[in-house]
Amino acid sequence: MQIRFDHKTVLVTGAAHGFGRAIAHRFARLGASVWAWDLNAEELQETRAQAEGRCEVRRVDVTDPQAVQEAAQEAGAVDILVNNAGGVLGQVGKPLETVTPKEWNDILAVNLSAAFYTSQAVAPGMKQRRWGRIINISSGAGLGPSLTGIQAYASAKAGLVNLTRQLCHELGPFNITVNCIAPGFVRSNPTTERQWQSYGEEGQRRLLENIALKRLGTAQNIADGVLFFASELADWVSGQVLSVDGGK
C-alpha cells in the first residue's frame, strides 16, 4: 500500500528544524498541503525552501491561545495536526528547590499547553468533517526519568501522553484518532547536539549501550512513525504511544 496525503492539509508545529522540519518535508513530498509553524522565522524559511512540495510557513507563538486560533483560521480545514513544538528552552537540570516558577511554567507551556491549544483550534473542523488525525510528539522522558534532569520537561511530556489518551476518547466518536510518538535520544537540533557533546565519550558510549540497536536514530525515523499514525494503515489505532527509540 502506497502512503499518500493528496488533498490533505497538515499542520506541523515546531517545524523550523529537527523533527518538525523532517515531518513537514515528508508530508509535503507525499502530496499534502503543509503549514509549518515556529517562532524561529529564519529557519522556517529554510524549511520552506527545502520542501519538495507545498509548504507554507508562519511565525506563531503556540503558547499564546489567541495567536493559535488566528493562525488556525488562516490555515483553514486542517486534516492532520502534528504537535511537535517543545524542548527545554535552554534550561539544564538543577536541584528541585532552585527551579523558579517561570522556568517550570515556560516548559509546561510549550510542551503541553501548546498541544492543547492547537488541538482545541483544529478539532471543531475535524469533528464537522468527521475525520482527523492528531499526533503528539512526546519523549522517552514522558515514560520515565528524563536524561535532561529537568523536572518540568519530564512532567510535561508525561502530561502529553495522558492528553493523548483523554482526547482519543473524546474525539473518537467523530472518527478522529489521537496518538503519540515517544522518541528516544536523537541528535536533531542544536539543543540535542549540545546535550550529546556534554556526555563526553564515556557517557555517549553508555547511552548507545542502553539502546538495543546500538545506534542513534534520525529525525526521519520519527517522521516515519508520524506518517504511520496519519495514514489509513492506522485507521483503527488511537490512544497509543509508539516508542521510536531503537529499543529499550
Side-chain angles (χ1 to χ4, degrees), residues 218-245:
T218 68
Q220 297 299 328
N221 295 136
I222 309 308
D224 287 342
V226 171
L227 293 179
F228 166 69
F229 279 143
S231 76
E232 292 303 318
L233 295 175
D235 184 59
W236 204 48
V237 179
S238 195
Q240 301 306 303
V241 180
L242 176 62
S243 292
V244 182
D245 59 9

Side-chain angles (χ1 to χ4, degrees), residues 193-204:
E193 186 60 32
R194 286 193 297 271
Q195 187 178 348
W196 172 254
Q197 297 302 331
S198 73
Y199 295 150
E201 290 186 9
E202 181 59 25
Q204 293 168 6

Side-chain angles (χ1 to χ4, degrees), residues 4-6 8 10 12 20-36 47-48 50-56 227:
R4 295 285 302 177
F5 296 97
D6 302 289
K8 297 295 186 187
V10 180
V12 184
R21 177 180 287 178
I23 292 165
H25 285 174
R26 291 296 294 277
F27 275 115
R29 287 197 295 270
L30 293 172
S33 296
V34 177
W35 287 86
T47 296
R48 179 168 61 181
Q50 296 170 14
E52 298 175 18
R54 184 184 170 194
C55 181
E56 295 289 339
L227 293 179

Side-chain angles (χ1 to χ4, degrees), residues 2-247:
Q2 185 180 19
I3 296 177
R4 295 285 302 177
F5 296 97
D6 302 289
H7 312 300
K8 297 295 186 187
T9 297
V10 180
L11 169 58
V12 184
T13 68
H17 53 226
F19 297 161
R21 177 180 287 178
I23 292 165
H25 285 174
R26 291 296 294 277
F27 275 115
R29 287 197 295 270
L30 293 172
S33 296
V34 177
W35 287 86
W37 291 0
D38 205 293
L39 273 178
N40 190 325
E42 183 176 348
E43 291 196 47
L44 269 180
Q45 294 303 322
E46 293 182 26
T47 296
R48 179 168 61 181
Q50 296 170 14
E52 298 175 18
R54 184 184 170 194
C55 181
E56 295 289 339
V57 300
R58 292 293 182 273
R59 186 181 186 276
V60 180
D61 180 357
V62 291
T63 70
D64 180 343
Q66 182 176 346
V68 167
Q69 287 287 342
E70 291 173 356
Q73 288 178 10
E74 181 187 13
V78 173
D79 302 296
I80 300 165
L81 167 64
V82 184
N83 283 312
N84 172 70
V88 299
L89 305 180
Q91 295 186 35
V92 296
K94 59 183 183 179
L96 171 67
E97 62 272 19
T98 67
V99 177
T100 68
K102 184 177 188 307
E103 289 169 333
W104 170 266
N105 288 320
D106 284 352
I107 292 234
L108 262 64
V110 72
N111 287 281
L112 180 56
S113 296
F116 177 81
Y117 298 147
T118 50
S119 299
Q120 189 178 49
V122 305
M126 291 181 175
K127 291 165 74 171
Q128 184 177 26
R129 296 186 301 279
R130 299 193 67 81
W131 196 95
R133 301 283 190 265
I134 297 175
I135 300 131
N136 297 320
I137 307 299
S138 179
S139 168
L143 306 176
S146 172
L147 290 174
T148 67
I150 299 173
Q151 303 88 346
Y153 184 74
S155 301
K157 291 303 189 183
L160 194 54
V161 169
N162 234 34
L163 179 63
T164 298
R165 292 169 175 153
Q166 189 67 38
L167 293 184
C168 154
H169 285 275
E170 179 178 345
L171 300 177
F174 301 93
N175 196 34
I176 301 167
T177 67
V178 188
N179 289 291
C180 188
I181 302 286
F185 183 80
V186 178
R187 297 166 65 184
S188 61
N189 57 50
T191 298
T192 53
E193 186 60 32
R194 286 193 297 271
Q195 187 178 348
W196 172 254
Q197 297 302 331
S198 73
Y199 295 150
E201 290 186 9
E202 181 59 25
Q204 293 168 6
R205 183 187 62 79
R206 287 197 303 270
L207 190 152
L208 291 172
E209 284 182 350
N210 287 327
I211 299 174
L213 291 176
K214 308 304 179 190
R215 57 182 169 85
L216 297 180
T218 68
Q220 297 299 328
N221 295 136
I222 309 308
D224 287 342
V226 171
L227 293 179
F228 166 69
F229 279 143
S231 76
E232 292 303 318
L233 295 175
D235 184 59
W236 204 48
V237 179
S238 195
Q240 301 306 303
V241 180
L242 176 62
S243 292
V244 182
D245 59 9

